[in-house]
Structures are given as structure tokens and as C-alpha cells.
């Protein structure tokens, strides 16, 4: 049987590590990318993604992020190009239906920015990444839903994940660049407590 002091300490510890859980609002979020094509950059996006952010107020180290993108939802506004990107030359979407990120550590840089380290998996290859993330704050909308905002811009080398297709021009230059610029803007809704029985 727990003593009053033990119970009080248990409750205090639970409160200290209590987490607010936010679900990504896909309708108000975006996952976009740009990659060099010949002498310019072509942009695209993924239309289907989901994620959960667990925030421990005042304890960013106890917070966590999980994010998943449906590979087949790639959209560059060109059906032929999109089908090629889904093929085995690139993402091989049938064998690799998701691109995922799962955090392992979050370190604050200042009040509104964090270095988020985690395992990023794409095209069947998993690598540890540290991504700078900006926190846009929270707000409560007219319906009483608390929202949180996050944004990030980072770069990846697609060859690090086994996406190596390219073509060499007569001039010796390559059709595609290896570096991919990624931008993610997230609006997430705080999960409401389950109704009491």
C-alpha cells in the first residue's frame, strides 16, 4: 500500500512528464522538395502523410516525434514523371510504401528552435539524422482546438539512400542533382482527452 508521501511523489512525477499529444493536420501542412534538373530546380510534394508530436511542457528531452509519408503520393504535377519516380529507378513505391522518421533525441537550441535527432528511413535504408526544427508556437481556434506549428528545411543526398538513377549528357553533366532540398511545414491539433465513462 502506498503511503501518502509515496502517492504524492508518484503524482508529481507523472505531472512532470505528462505529455500533450498533437496529430498532424494534413489539410494545413505540407511536405515539399526541390532537386536540380539540368540547369534549374524542379519542385514536388507528397500529398499523403501523417504524424504525431508528443510534447512534454518544459522538458523537450522527454518529447518525441513520429512521421510517415506515403511514397506513392509523390506529386510533381506531371503524371509521367510521377510514375517514373514511383518506379524501381527511384523510390520503388511498391516495395517501399513509406518514408519514415522517428525521433530518438530532442535538444533545445533556444526557446523556439530544436535539433531533433532520429532515424530516417527511405528506399529501405535507415540513417540517423539531426534536423533543425523551428517551433511556431500554439494557438486555440474558434472551436476550442489547440494547434501547434512546426517548420523545417534540410538537405539530403538521395544516393545515401540508394536512389542513384541518373543520365549523362553529351556535355558530361548529369540530368539530376544528388542533393534534395526538403521543406516541411506542420500544423498539428492537440489530441483531446477521451470522454469519461
Amino acid at each position: 500500500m502506498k503511503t501518502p508521501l509515496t502517492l504524492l511523489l508518484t503524482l508529481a512525477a507523472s505531472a512532470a512528464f505528462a505529455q500533450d499529444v498533437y496529430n498532424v493536420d494534413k489539410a494545413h501542412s505540407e511536405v515539399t522538395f526541390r532537386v536540380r534538373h539540368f540547369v534549374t530546380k524542379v519542385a514536388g510534394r507528397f500529398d499523403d502523410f501523417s504524424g504525431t508530436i508528443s510534447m512534454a511542457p518544459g522538458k523537450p528531452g522527454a518529447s518525441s516525434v513520429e512521421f510517415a509519408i506515403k511514397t506513392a503520393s509523390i506529386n510533381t504535377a506531371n503524371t509521367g514523371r510521377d510514375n517514373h519516380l514511383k518506379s524501381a529507378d527511384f523510390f520503388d513505391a511498391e516495395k517501399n510504401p513509406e518514408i519514415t522518421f522517428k525521433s530518438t533525441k530532442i535538444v533545445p537550441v533556444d526557446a523556439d528552435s530544436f535539433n531533433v535527432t532520429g532515424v530516417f528511413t527511405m528506399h529501405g535504408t535507415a540513417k540517423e539524422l539531426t534536423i533543425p526544427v523551428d517551433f511556431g508556437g500554439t494557438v486555440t481556434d474558434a472551436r476550442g482546438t489547440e494547434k501547434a506549428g512546426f517548420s523545417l528545411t534540410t538537405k539530403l543526398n538521395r544516393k545515401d539512400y540508394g536512389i542513384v538513377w541518373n543520365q549523362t549528357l553529351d556535355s558530361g553533366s548529369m540530368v539530376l542533382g544528388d542533393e534534395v532540398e526538403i521543406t516541411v511545414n506542420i500544423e498539428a491539433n492537440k489530441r483531446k482527452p477521451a470522454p469519461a465513462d
Side-chain angles (χ1 to χ4, degrees):
M1 182 175 179
K2 291 184 177 180
T3 66
L5 179 58
T6 302
L7 182 59
L8 181 62
L9 291 173
T10 301
L11 290 173
S14 298
F17 290 96
Q19 293 190 335
D20 296 329
V21 180
Y22 293 79
N23 294 326
V24 170
D25 179 0
K26 186 168 62 175
H28 298 100
S29 303
E30 63 176 3
V31 179
T32 63
F33 63 89
R34 296 199 310 163
V35 63
R36 182 182 60 76
H37 181 262
F38 291 117
V39 292
T40 187
K41 290 184 178 179
V42 171
R45 68 178 190 267
F46 290 93
D47 291 330
D48 193 2
F49 50 86
S50 60
T52 302
I53 302 104
S54 297
M55 297 172 60
K59 293 185 176 292
S63 302
S64 63
V65 178
E66 291 191 28
F67 198 74
I69 300 167
K70 297 295 184 184
T71 312
S73 74
I74 195 166
N75 184 347
T76 65
N78 182 298
T79 302
R81 181 168 57 208
D82 292 344
N83 289 336
H84 191 198
L85 289 169
K86 295 174 193 178
S87 76
D89 281 343
F90 287 93
F91 288 102
D92 202 355
E94 188 173 339
K95 290 183 180 179
N96 304 289
E98 288 192 330
I99 300 166
T100 62
F101 179 82
K102 185 174 183 178
S103 69
T104 55
K105 182 173 66 174
I106 298 178
V107 177
V109 177
D110 54 41
D112 298 318
S113 59
F114 302 84
N115 284 331
V116 180
T117 300
V119 178
F120 179 77
T121 303
M122 182 171 68
H123 195 243
T125 299
K127 290 184 175 293
E128 184 177 79
L129 288 181
T130 297
I131 303 171
V133 177
D134 292 327
F135 176 49
T138 60
V139 67
T140 301
D141 67 12
R143 297 181 179 180
T145 301
E146 184 177 319
K147 297 176 174 289
F150 307 88
S151 61
L152 67 91
T153 298
T154 191
K155 295 179 180 179
L156 298 175
N157 188 316
R158 62 189 178 91
K159 288 186 175 179
D160 290 344
Y161 298 86
I163 302 175
V164 299
W165 184 93
N166 219 329
Q167 286 184 336
T168 305
L169 301 175
D170 292 341
S171 63
S173 60
M174 308 301 288
V175 171
L176 293 179
D178 297 336
E179 188 176 76
V180 182
E181 301 172 13
I182 299 169
T183 299
V184 180
N185 289 299
I186 294 296
E187 185 174 296
N189 296 328
K190 186 176 179 180
R191 190 180 296 172
K192 295 183 179 180
D197 294 334

